[in-house]
């Protein structure tokens, strides 16, 4: 089976490649923006036609939510047109497409875990562009897997690394305690994506680790695990005004996994414990 991963130098792309490398019978094609810019429709069509992948996993995205607010055109190109190009090119050769999406498609103002059947209402440009990406993928290729995740960390820049770095130069850190979500390891997400493909379990899926916490609680756990003594104090989102509106409560329930082949993700505390070892 030939698998093409786009955005392969990102956090998720790296972990997926690592896990697929351990499997037999998989030919991996790893690309990033310099080899395959997903916003270029002609390049995407010719690359896909030449390489004939069975599966395309799109890990490319503009994930800087603040930048999306100012670079709106770039955000639509990467997060909406990119997935559109890939889904269509895959469909032309009968290949499957995996699109990774986000909890930011929800408004996040309802205090209950969100399932795939709940109404979307993105509040930021990032969320809007990712939702439109989902819609193109769904409409352009019946063999699709759309996987929404959240608070992702792995091999790359992420919240965990930021907090560890900040702890080196600060005695006290203020962290927001009025946004809830679920930190998710790229290890768990990659396992689920690989299983979805193996099972040919098409459709829309939520995939985060289990449980929930605030950014403050997440930071406390990171520092506890690393034995870091930097003091962490609670603050509210309005103390750090930022251009992109963030969902207050965006805990995702992996309901479609529960209803189909089962949810193999770990609790977020177990996953971060392993990551920080
Ligand atoms: N990170 C999170 O907390 C989070 C939360 C929810 C959902 N997600 C979703 O999960 C997926 C993976 O996220 P991640 O954290 O692994 O992202 P990431 O680390 O930011 O990686 C994204 C990769 O895409 C590449 N890229 C950007 N524009 C491209 C283009 N036009 N063509 C090809 N590649 C391009 C980037 O290259 P450069 O670095 O050179 O630009 C980077 O290597 C994304 O779909 C994201 O929206 C992430």
């Amino acid at each position: 089976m030939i698998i093409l991963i786009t955005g392969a130098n990102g956090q998720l792309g790296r972990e997926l490649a690592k896990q697929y490398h351990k499997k037999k019978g998989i030919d991996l094609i790893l690309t990033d923006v310099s080899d395959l810019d997903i916003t270029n429709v002609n390049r995407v069509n010719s690359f896909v036609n030449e390489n004939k992948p069975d599966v395309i996993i799109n890990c490319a995205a503009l994930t800087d939510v603040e930048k999306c607010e100012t670079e709106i055109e770039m955000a639509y190109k990467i997060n909406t047109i990119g997935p559109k190009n890939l889904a269509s090119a895959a469909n032309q050769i009968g290949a499957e497409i995996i699109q990774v999406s986000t909890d930011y498609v929800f408004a996040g103002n309802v205090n209950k875990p969100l399932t795939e059947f709940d109404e979307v209402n993105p509040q930021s440009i990032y969320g809007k562009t990712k939702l439109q990406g989902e819609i193109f993928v769904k409409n352009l290729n019946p063999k699709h897997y759309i996987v929404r995740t959240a608070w992702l960390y792995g091999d790359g820049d992420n919240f965990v690394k930021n907090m560890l770095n900040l702890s080196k130069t600060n005695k006290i850190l203020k962290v927001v305690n009025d946004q809830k979500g679920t930190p998710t390891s790229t290890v768990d997400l990659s396992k689920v994506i690989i299983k979805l493909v193996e099972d040919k379990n098409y459709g829309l899926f939520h995939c985060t680790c289990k449980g929930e916490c605030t950014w403050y609680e997440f930071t406390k756990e990171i520092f506890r695990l690393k034995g870091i003594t930097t003091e962490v104090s609670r603050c509210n989102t309005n103390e750090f005004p930022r251009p992109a509106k963030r969902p207050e409560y965006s805990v995702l329930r992996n309901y479609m996994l529960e209803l189909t082949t089962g949810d193999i993700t770990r609790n977020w505390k177990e996953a971060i414990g392993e990551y920080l070892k």
Side-chain angles (χ1 to χ4, degrees):
M1 182 159 66
I2 304 174
I3 296 184
L4 165 62
I5 300 181
T6 57
N9 286 339
Q11 298 193 88
L12 179 61
R14 285 183 188 181
E15 179 59 33
L16 268 170
K18 196 168 147 192
Q19 291 191 23
Y20 268 123
H21 274 309
K22 292 181 193 151
K23 295 201 171 273
K24 288 203 179 105
I26 302 285
D27 284 330
L28 274 185
I29 306 172
L30 304 178
T31 62
D32 216 279
V33 63
S34 53
D35 331 282
L36 179 59
D37 178 349
I38 63 165
T39 68
N40 183 333
V41 64
N42 293 328
R43 175 82 181 121
V44 168
N45 282 333
S46 63
F47 190 95
V48 169
N49 270 310
E50 272 163 34
N51 291 282
K52 300 252 177 317
D54 300 291
V55 181
I56 300 177
I57 308 182
N58 181 27
C59 297
L62 183 62
T63 54
D64 181 335
V65 293
E66 305 307 341
K67 193 167 178 184
C68 289
E69 295 295 317
T70 50
E71 305 284 337
I72 298 175
E73 195 171 306
M74 188 196 286
Y76 271 105
K77 275 193 176 162
I78 300 173
N79 292 340
T80 305
I81 304 304
K84 168 190 172 296
N85 292 340
L86 294 167
S88 168
N91 187 53
Q92 286 168 44
I93 60 157
E96 300 177 353
I97 174 89
I98 291 132
Q99 171 64 9
V100 184
S101 193
T102 170
D103 55 328
Y104 277 59
V105 298
F106 293 108
N109 50 8
V110 182
N111 215 17
K112 79 162 188 69
L114 296 150
T115 79
E116 296 82 349
F117 307 114
D118 284 315
E119 210 175 300
V120 290
N121 183 12
Q123 301 292 305
S124 61
I125 299 295
Y126 173 69
K128 286 178 187 174
T129 58
K130 292 293 289 185
L131 178 62
Q132 292 308 317
E134 284 187 12
I135 293 168
F136 272 122
V137 168
K138 190 173 151 196
N139 290 339
L140 288 173
N141 192 331
K143 292 196 226 169
H144 65 257
Y145 313 82
I146 296 166
V147 185
R148 291 184 188 142
T149 192
W151 295 29
L152 201 60
Y153 60 85
D155 182 2
D157 285 337
N158 55 57
F159 180 83
V160 185
K161 288 193 181 155
N162 282 345
M163 288 297 131
L164 291 174
N165 283 335
L166 285 170
S167 74
K168 291 176 192 155
T169 48
N170 292 273
K171 287 206 174 95
I172 303 181
L173 280 178
K174 275 187 171 185
V175 186
V176 292
N177 197 39
D178 57 356
Q179 288 172 33
K180 271 198 176 165
T182 309
T184 299
S185 165
T186 53
V187 172
D188 294 64
L189 177 58
S190 298
K191 281 186 183 157
V192 167
I193 288 174
I194 290 169
K195 183 160 165 45
L196 285 173
V197 173
E198 282 171 359
D199 293 341
K200 292 213 177 296
N201 191 7
Y202 297 124
L204 170 66
F205 295 86
H206 285 180
C207 179
T208 61
C209 282
K210 298 187 184 84
E212 60 180 62
C213 63
T214 65
W215 292 112
Y216 163 82
E217 290 163 341
F218 188 27
T219 309
K220 290 284 280 182
E221 182 63 7
I222 294 165
F223 288 3
R224 187 189 70 77
L225 287 162
K226 293 301 280 180
I228 290 170
T229 52
T230 299
E231 197 183 315
V232 189
S233 75
R234 298 175 180 84
C235 72
N236 289 332
T237 306
N238 56 19
E239 287 178 54
F240 286 108
R242 287 195 286 185
K245 194 166 180 233
R246 277 141 167 92
E248 268 170 46
Y249 187 90
S250 65
V251 176
L252 302 183
R253 178 172 176 190
N254 301 343
Y255 196 37
M256 277 289 286
L257 290 175
E258 290 170 24
L259 292 173
T260 57
T261 57
D263 180 3
I264 57 171
T265 60
R266 295 169 292 178
N267 183 276
W268 71 267
K269 281 196 180 179
E270 188 187 342
I272 189 67
E274 186 199 73
Y275 177 77
L276 290 175
K277 258 186 201 156

